[in-house]
Amino acid sequence: ETGVTQTPRHLVMGMTNKKSLKCEQHLGHNAMYWYKQSAKKPLELMFVYSLEERVENNSVPSRFSPECPNSSHLFLHLHTLQPEDSALYLCASSPADGSSYNEQFFGPGTRLTVL
Amino acid sequence: LAKTTQPISMDSYEGQEVNITCSHNNIATNDYITWYQQFPSQGPRFIIQGYKTKVTNEVASLFIPADRKSSTLSLPRVSLSDTAVYYCLVGLLRGGYQKVTFGTGTKLQVIP
């Protein structure tokens, strides 16, 4: 247990569906991240929120829409996805006080399959 | 962001010490070096972090030479449960967030 939870753990959706991934951290961190990990590829950073403000959008297609309503919760809204979007989606958080320089705490991920 | 280069894969027998080296030639003065471990279908897990010389914790040791252009993660007496992908990252997180780049990592296979 890392203190970061993600739901659902598995998701199968059609290309016309709309779904959302949820991430919650219980660590009091102020920065949260979405990563995508496709088979046999490195983790790709998608979005970063710091103090509830989006500070990074790594050229992610608009069919992925993040939302950070507060410092403990992060959502990734999905619509009209493509089969190549099938991947493991990981959420992470980190403290913003400089106490731990590069340590991000990752959730278990959501395994997404787009049919 | 500094780019890192690691071997793609390594094999080791149980009980042996494993050393994984990472190159980061363009590391910046304020950058720290961090290593993560990832098991299949799980998120990466922080192992160790250092700036220079040697750092040791209950899991691993990290050796950093004076020029800091490389680093070596040392895992003592590996077991089957150490089979995982190991990532080396370079960067700095302070007062906000860090846009880190995960490379392809080193896939360690521990053999009985």
Side-chain angles (χ1 to χ4, degrees), chain A residues 10-115:
Chain A
H10 300 271
L11 178 63
V12 179
M13 60 187 288
M15 290 191 286
T16 59
N17 293 157
K18 288 185 180 182
K19 297 286 184 183
S20 295
L21 309 184
K22 179 182 176 182
C23 175
E24 185 172 359
Q25 56 98 359
H26 312 275
L27 302 168
H29 292 165
N30 287 319
M32 296 187 76
Y33 311 71
W34 278 117
Y35 287 86
K36 174 185 177 183
Q37 187 171 36
S38 304
K40 302 186 187 302
K41 285 187 178 181
L43 278 81
E44 303 170 57
L45 180 65
M46 300 175 73
F47 301 104
V48 182
Y49 278 81
S50 178
L51 299 173
E52 301 162 39
E53 181 181 339
R54 191 192 308 179
V55 293
E56 288 288 341
N57 178 343
N58 221 18
S59 302
V60 180
S62 59
R63 57 185 183 269
F64 294 91
S65 175
E67 179 190 3
C68 187
N70 54 62
S71 59
S72 299
H73 294 87
L74 185 66
F75 294 89
L76 187 63
H77 304 300
L78 316 171
H79 64 97
T80 60
L81 294 191
Q82 305 297 313
E84 59 264 29
D85 296 322
S86 299
L88 181 68
Y89 288 85
L90 291 157
C91 172
S93 70
S94 63
D97 59 2
S99 61
S100 184
Y101 295 102
N102 258 348
E103 184 169 2
Q104 295 183 31
F105 294 76
F106 283 82
T110 295
R111 173 69 62 189
L112 173 67
T113 302
V114 181
L115 301 177

Side-chain angles (χ1 to χ4, degrees), chain B residues 19-107:
Chain B
N19 296 309
I20 305 174
T21 298
C22 178
S23 297
H24 27 81
N25 291 319
N26 57 340
I27 188 170
T29 302
N30 294 330
D31 283 347
Y32 276 70
I33 300 157
T34 311
W35 286 78
Y36 283 81
Q37 174 193 56
Q38 186 179 25
F39 297 111
S41 297
Q42 292 186 26
R45 184 176 70 106
F46 174 90
I47 300 175
I48 198 167
Q49 182 176 84
Y51 183 79
K52 61 180 179 180
T53 62
K54 177 183 175 182
V55 179
T56 297
N57 61 24
E58 64 278 6
V59 176
S61 295
L62 179 59
F63 298 90
I64 306 169
D67 66 5
R68 305 200 327 122
K69 293 184 183 299
S70 66
S71 59
T72 299
L73 174 73
S74 181
L75 305 171
R77 297 179 300 281
V78 294
S79 64
L80 296 176
S81 63
D82 293 316
T83 294
V85 178
Y86 292 82
Y87 296 96
C88 164
L89 284 78
V90 172
L92 175 66
L93 170 68
R94 177 171 291 165
Y97 70 98
Q98 173 65 24
K99 181 183 172 183
V100 296
T101 300
F102 281 78
T104 52
T106 298
K107 185 173 184 180

